[in-house]
Amino acid sequence: MTEIFLVEDDQVIAKNLIILLQAEGFVVTHAANMSDAFAKVRENKFDLALVDVSLPDGNGFTVCTEIKALQEIPVIFLTASADESSVVTGLTMGADDYITKPFRPRELVARIKNALRKSGQVQTAFEVLGLYVDSTSGSVRKNGSDVFLSALEYRLLLVFVNNPKSILTRERLLDELWDAAGEFVNDNTLTVYIKRLREKIEDEPAKPQIIQTVRGIGYRLGGSNV
């Protein structure tokens, strides 16, 4: 499991972030101030840190320095300040990314996953019921044979393997395909792509085991050992 260290003094923001990150399959440890952050980073091992710049007993820049001294992990700053000097300071202190409040939840999750990939902290190869996906090389194989997918079919598959513990609504999938295609993708188009993808990766497309339907909600990745 990927361990996220959240340093945020606003309890409402922290609560919402914990819910969001846990829904994405992350394990979250929260510290509400600088002293608590120092104690927890010395006692635990994390994969990435989200650090608020403004803390009641100090600032996130100092926390970032401590984290980087103890653990080789990415640090993303969260802040209400978008001024250039704060951005430069944060990046100079060793931060890997910088996002201002209020932020869009999906953008934050995407930035986290991107930072994890760059740092080598996240797995890029997945195997599910004989289906092998390597997002680094872009290769897909089923029972040892290459599977050839269109760009949108591949993007759709990546959404599932990158969210192995989540139920994905049709609305979420439509958003993901829209982002990838840069064009309108409607509900009927999604149904077509789900069908085409199942025909290429399932042993029995009529009885799918990899992309399972959650009736009335959406879909989820089945048989996952990622």
Side-chain angles (χ1 to χ4, degrees):
M1 300 292 287
T2 302
E3 302 272 352
I4 303 294
F5 184 35
L6 173 63
V7 184
E8 169 62 64
D9 67 311
D10 187 307
Q11 293 299 318
V12 173
I13 293 176
K15 180 181 178 180
N16 290 334
L17 277 173
I18 291 169
I19 293 172
L20 169 68
L21 295 172
Q22 288 178 339
E24 292 291 332
F26 297 119
V27 175
V28 184
T29 298
H30 174 229
N33 53 54
M34 189 172 71
S35 59
D36 189 21
F38 283 175
K40 286 178 177 173
V41 78
R42 290 165 184 162
E43 296 170 358
N44 302 278
K45 174 64 179 175
F46 301 107
D47 297 298
L48 180 143
L50 291 174
V51 181
D52 186 14
V53 169
S54 299
L55 298 171
D57 57 345
N59 62 67
F61 301 134
T62 306
V63 174
C64 176
T65 300
E66 182 72 4
I67 292 172
K68 290 290 187 178
L70 296 173
Q71 303 188 31
E72 295 183 5
I73 62 172
V75 175
I76 298 176
F77 277 126
L78 304 174
T79 180
S81 175
D83 66 275
E84 184 179 8
S85 62
S86 292
V87 173
V88 171
T89 300
L91 296 176
T92 302
M93 298 293 289
D96 296 82
D97 204 350
Y98 201 104
I99 189 166
T100 57
K101 303 173 187 176
F103 46 79
R104 293 172 291 185
R106 283 186 53 224
E107 179 185 354
L108 176 61
V109 171
R111 287 175 180 264
I112 289 171
K113 291 182 177 179
N114 185 54
L116 288 168
R117 278 193 295 271
K118 287 182 177 179
S119 68
Q121 299 283 350
V122 69
Q123 141 182 38
T124 59
F126 306 84
E127 187 171 0
V128 182
L129 297 174
L131 180 72
Y132 178 83
V133 182
D134 188 335
S135 60
T136 300
S137 65
S139 63
V140 180
R141 296 195 300 275
K142 176 66 175 181
N143 297 328
S145 299
D146 289 335
V147 177
F148 299 99
L149 303 176
S150 69
L152 279 182
E153 289 167 353
Y154 179 67
R155 174 58 183 164
L156 183 58
L157 179 58
L158 283 185
V159 177
F160 283 103
V161 298
N162 286 332
N163 298 276
K165 300 182 183 300
S166 302
I167 295 176
L168 300 170
T169 65
R170 292 182 66 87
E171 291 76 13
R172 166 78 180 275
L173 293 171
L174 283 169
D175 285 344
E176 295 283 358
L177 291 184
W178 176 290
D179 290 344
E183 59 188 32
F184 181 70
V185 179
N186 61 29
D187 196 64
N188 289 334
T189 304
L190 175 61
T191 299
V192 170
Y193 276 107
I194 290 286
K195 182 175 182 293
R196 288 179 181 173
L197 187 57
R198 281 172 166 168
E199 288 173 347
K200 293 181 178 182
I201 67 173
E202 299 280 1
D203 290 325
E204 295 183 68
K207 299 177 181 179
Q209 298 299 311
I210 297 175
I211 297 178
Q212 299 179 342
T213 298
V214 181
R215 192 170 299 277
I217 302 177
Y219 306 90
R220 67 182 173 195
L221 188 70
S224 173
N225 60 8
V226 299

